[in-house]
C-alpha cells in the first residue's frame, strides 16, 4: 500500500516537472473551462495542444489555484470563470446589490467595469457598476488574486425623453357624453393610493364599486387627489420627497397603473355629472410626481376643471358646503383655523364646513367646534415598512361622501 502511494506522489512530481506553467497555459485552461469541458475532457485537449502529459487531477488543482475551478460531470461552468467559492451577496431596499468574491488578475490584465460585473456573476447588459473596492489577497507566479466588493444596480434607468413619454403617450383630449345627473354632489377622496406598492389589478374591485356609486347620477362630482398617488417621487429610484429610502418599486408600471385607474374614474364621472372637478395636493411621497401627473390629466380631460397646485392646501365649495383639502403631513392640527384664515371667502359663504386629509393611513372623524375634520384612510394593502413597525390595524377602505345643499347626506364605504 505504501508503495502504491509513493508511486502516485512520484508520478505527480514527474508530471509537474514536465511542464513549466506560464500565462499561456492558464489562459488556455480558462478557455477550455468556458467551453463547458470537464477536467477529464479538458486534459486531453490540453495535453494534445501543448504536447504535455499532465493529469486531470493536477489540472484541476492548477485551475483552482488560479480561480477557475472546473464543474463536476462536464456541466457548463458558471458564466464567470474567475469566481471562487468565497462569494457573498446582499440586497438593500432599493434594489442595489452588493457582492464580495475573490478574482484572479493575470499579469498585465486590465479589469474593466464589465469584467468586474462578470467576475461577480452579473450580466453587464442588465446591471451597472455603482462602486468597487479591491484588496490584495494572494499572489501566484501566474497571477494575483484580489478580494473585491462591488455595489451594482439594475439597468432600469429612464431617460428624460422616456420620462416625458410615460406621461404624454397617447394624451389625446377625450370627449365623454353625459348619460345621467342628479340633485346632490359626490366627493371621491383618493388619498394615499401608493401606486407602485399597489397596482391597477389590486384596485380593480374597489374601482368597480366607485363607478357603481357614481353611475347613480349627480349634479357635481369632485375627485380629491389627496397626495401620495405614487409610492415614490422619482422614476429611477424609490424615495420620498425628502430622500427617505423606501422598498424598491417599479415606478414606470406605477405611472401606467395610475393612468389606467384615473382614466376609469374620470370617464365615469364625466358620464354621470354635468360638472366634474379635480382638486390635487402633493404628498410627502410624491409632491413633484403628483403635480406632473395632474397636469397631464388636465390635458387629457378638458371637460373637467382640474385644479393643480404647488401649495400644501386647497379649498372649494359645494353650494353652502365648504371643504379644505390637505395631505396631512403639514400643519395637521391647525387645518380648521387655516381654512378660515387662508380661504375666508369660502369659509364665510359656507354653513357647513369640513377638512379632509390623509397621510396617517387610518380613519378618524372629529367635530372641532363646528368644523368636521376627516382623516381619510387608505385602501392600500400593508407594505413591508408598515409590517415591520406594526402599522397593520387599519381597515383599508375608501369612503365617498354625498352632500346636499348645506350638509352631508350620505357616506359610502368601499
Amino acid at each position: 500500500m505504501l508503495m502504491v502511494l509513493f508511486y502516485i506522489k512520484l508520478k505527480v512530481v514527474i508530471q509537474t516537472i514536465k511542464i513549466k506553467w506560464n500565462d499561456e497555459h492558464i489562459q488556455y485552461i480558462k478557455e477550455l473551462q468556458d467551453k463547458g469541458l470537464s477536467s477529464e475532457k479538458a486534459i486531453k485537449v490540453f495535453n494534445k495542444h501543448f504536447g504535455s502529459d499532465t493529469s486531470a487531477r493536477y489540472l484541476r488543482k492548477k485551475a483552482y489555484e488560479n480561480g477557475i475551478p472546473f464543474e463536476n460531470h462536464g456541466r457548463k461552468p458558471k458564466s464567470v470563470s474567475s469566481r471562487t467559492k468565497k462569494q457573498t451577496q446582499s440586497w438593500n431596499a432599493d434594489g442595489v446589490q452588493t457582492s464580495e468574491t475573490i478574482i484572479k488578475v493575470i499579469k498585465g490584465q486590465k479589469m474593466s467595469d464589465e469584467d468586474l460585473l462578470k467576475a461577480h456573476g452579473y450580466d453587464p447588459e442588465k446591471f451597472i457598476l455603482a462602486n468597487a473596492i479591491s484588496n490584495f489577497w494572494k499572489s501566484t507566479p501566474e497571477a494575483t488574486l484580489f478580494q473585491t466588493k462591488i455595489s451594482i444596480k439594475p439597468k432600469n434607468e429612464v431617460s428624460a425623453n422616456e420620462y416625458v413619454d410615460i406621461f404624454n403617450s397617447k394624451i389625446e383630449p377625450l370627449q365623454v357624453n353625459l348619460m345621467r345627473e342628479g340633485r346632490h354632489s359626490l366627493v371621491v377622496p383618493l388619498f394615499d393610493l401608493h401606486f407602485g406598492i399597489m397596482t391597477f389589478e389590486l384596485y380593480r374591485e374597489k374601482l368597480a364599486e366607485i363607478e357603481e356609486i357614481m353611475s347613480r347620477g349627480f349634479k357635481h362630482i369632485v375627485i380629491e387627489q389627496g397626495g401620495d398617488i405614487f409610492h415614490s417621487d422619482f422614476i429611477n429610484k424609490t424615495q420620498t420627497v425628502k430622500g427617505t429610502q423606501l422598498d424598491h418599486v417599479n415606478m414606470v408600471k406605477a405611472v401606467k397603473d395610475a393612468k389606467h385607474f384615473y382614466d376609469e374614474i374620470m370617464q365615469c364621472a364625466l358620464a354621470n355629472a354635468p360638472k366634474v372637478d379635480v382638486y390635487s395636493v402633493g404628498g410627502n411621497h410624491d409632491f413633484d410626481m403628483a403635480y406632473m401627473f395632474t397636469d397631464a390629466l388636465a390635458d387629457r380631460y378638458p371637460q373637467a376643471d382640474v385644479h393643480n397646485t404647488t401649495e400644501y392646501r386647497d379649498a372649494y365649495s359645494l353650494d353652502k358646503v365648504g371643504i379644505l383639502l390637505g395631505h396631512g403631513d403639514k400643519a395637521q392640527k391647525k387645518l380648521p383655523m387655516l381654512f378660515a384664515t387662508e380661504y375666508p371667502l369660502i369659509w364665510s359663504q359656507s354653513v357647513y364646513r369640513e377638512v379632509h386629509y390623509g397621510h396617517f393611513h387610518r380613519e378618524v372623524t372629529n367635530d372641532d367646534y363646528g368644523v368636521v375634520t376627516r382623516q381619510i384612510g387608505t385602501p392600500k394593502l400593508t407594505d413591508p415598512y408598515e409590517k415591520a413597525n406594526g402599522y397593520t390595524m387599519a381597515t383599508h377602505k375608501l369612503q365617498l361622501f354625498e352632500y346636499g345643499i348645506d350638509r352631508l347626506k350620505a357616506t359610502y364605504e368601499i
Side-chain angles (χ1 to χ4, degrees):
M1 182 66 178
L2 291 174
M3 289 298 294
V4 173
L5 292 174
F6 176 78
Y7 172 76
I8 293 173
K9 291 182 179 178
L10 181 62
K11 185 177 180 182
V12 172
V13 171
I14 292 172
Q15 289 174 338
T16 304
I17 295 173
K18 285 184 179 180
I19 182 170
K20 186 176 181 180
W21 292 90
N22 56 36
D23 291 349
E24 182 182 1
H25 297 120
I26 301 302
Q27 183 60 35
Y28 196 66
I29 292 175
K30 180 179 182 300
E31 292 174 5
L32 295 175
Q33 191 239 29
D34 284 343
K35 291 179 180 179
L37 298 181
S38 67
S39 58
E40 286 76 12
K41 291 182 180 179
I43 192 60
K44 295 178 182 179
V45 179
F46 182 90
N47 285 335
K48 182 177 181 180
H49 182 80
F50 289 105
S52 58
D53 190 26
T54 303
S55 69
R57 178 174 175 271
Y58 191 73
L59 184 73
R60 288 194 298 270
K61 178 177 179 295
K62 201 67 180 176
Y64 185 79
E65 288 176 354
N66 289 273
I68 44 177
F70 280 89
E71 298 288 331
N72 294 326
H73 311 299
R75 290 180 296 181
K76 187 174 178 61
K78 295 177 182 179
S79 59
V80 181
S81 60
S82 59
R83 196 191 318 183
T84 75
K85 294 181 180 179
K86 296 180 179 179
Q87 181 173 22
T88 60
Q89 294 177 323
S90 61
W91 292 258
N92 69 17
D94 198 35
V96 175
Q97 302 178 25
T98 60
S99 174
E100 293 186 43
T101 192
I102 306 297
I103 65 171
K104 175 184 70 69
V105 180
I106 299 173
K107 186 177 179 180
Q109 180 184 6
K110 294 182 179 180
M111 298 288 289
S112 65
D113 288 358
E114 183 175 301
D115 292 330
L116 274 174
L117 285 169
K118 289 180 178 179
H120 284 260
Y122 294 102
D123 185 351
E125 296 295 322
K126 298 179 180 179
F127 296 90
I128 59 175
L129 187 66
N131 186 44
I133 299 175
S134 298
N135 297 301
F136 173 80
W137 187 66
K138 182 180 178 182
S139 182
T140 69
E142 297 82 16
T144 302
L145 301 181
F146 289 91
Q147 184 180 35
T148 66
K149 180 178 181 179
I150 64 172
S151 298
I152 61 101
K153 58 183 179 180
K155 278 187 176 180
N156 60 353
E157 294 190 353
V158 181
S159 68
N161 288 335
E162 290 172 321
Y163 183 80
V164 172
D165 289 341
I166 290 171
F167 286 93
N168 294 332
S169 60
K170 299 181 180 179
I171 291 188
E172 300 174 358
L174 296 181
Q175 183 71 30
V176 180
N177 296 323
L178 179 66
M179 295 188 299
R180 62 182 62 84
E181 59 182 293
R183 296 186 302 112
H184 293 159
S185 298
L186 182 71
V187 173
V188 183
L190 299 174
F191 288 75
D192 303 289
L193 296 179
H194 287 269
F195 279 102
I197 291 290
M198 296 295 287
T199 64
F200 177 82
E201 290 74 21
L202 291 173
Y203 278 136
R204 188 187 298 274
E205 185 176 339
K206 293 186 182 298
L207 178 61
E209 291 188 58
I210 293 172
E211 292 177 334
E212 181 183 354
I213 293 168
M214 287 196 294
S215 296
R216 299 173 185 179
F218 296 88
K219 70 174 182 180
H220 189 180
I221 293 179
V222 175
I223 298 167
E224 296 181 344
Q225 289 185 168
D228 290 358
I229 304 169
F230 301 104
H231 191 60
S232 172
D233 203 33
F234 303 88
I235 288 291
N236 289 327
K237 52 187 176 181
T238 310
Q239 296 178 353
T240 65
V241 175
K242 291 184 177 180
T244 301
Q245 188 63 58
L246 305 168
D247 295 294
H248 185 59
V249 299
N250 184 340
M251 282 302 296
V252 174
K253 184 179 187 306
V255 172
K256 292 178 179 178
D257 282 344
K259 286 170 62 179
H260 193 177
F261 181 88
Y262 275 91
D263 269 346
E264 296 273 356
I265 290 282
M266 293 298 296
Q267 291 180 38
C268 185
L270 289 167
N272 292 285
K275 179 173 176 55
V276 175
D277 283 277
V278 178
Y279 286 87
S280 177
V281 294
N284 62 306
H285 276 249
D286 71 344
F287 202 94
D288 297 323
M289 284 281 289
Y291 183 89
M292 296 184 67
F293 182 81
T294 304
D295 190 62
L297 200 65
D299 291 338
R300 187 163 175 78
Y301 294 101
Q303 285 174 269
D305 292 319
V306 179
H307 309 268
N308 205 4
T309 181
T310 57
E311 301 295 333
Y312 293 101
R313 294 170 291 279
D314 205 349
Y316 61 92
S317 295
L318 300 171
D319 297 312
K320 295 182 180 181
V321 174
I323 298 175
L324 176 77
L325 173 68
H327 180 61
D329 60 321
K330 304 291 185 182
Q332 176 256 323
K333 293 182 179 180
K334 301 177 183 178
L335 291 177
M337 288 309 299
L338 287 172
F339 188 2
T341 303
E342 296 178 347
Y343 300 94
L345 185 60
I346 294 175
W347 178 274
S348 64
Q349 294 177 347
S350 303
V351 298
Y352 180 82
R353 305 174 183 92
E354 289 194 0
V355 171
H356 295 175
Y357 66 93
H359 179 61
F360 297 98
H361 294 194
R362 62 190 181 93
E363 176 196 351
V364 178
T365 302
N366 289 311
D367 188 339
D368 293 329
Y369 304 103
V371 180
V372 177
T373 59
R374 299 187 186 278
Q375 181 177 293
I376 309 295
T378 175
K380 181 185 75 67
L381 300 179
T382 303
D383 61 41
Y385 171 82
E386 291 168 325
K387 288 181 181 178
N389 290 276
Y391 304 140
T392 59
M393 295 174 283
T395 54
H396 302 291
K397 66 182 179 182
L398 277 167
Q399 289 181 308
L400 276 59
F401 305 109
E402 182 178 338
Y403 296 92
I405 294 176
D406 59 0
R407 68 184 62 200
L408 179 70
K409 302 294 288 186
T411 299
Y412 304 94
E413 294 196 352
I414 296 175

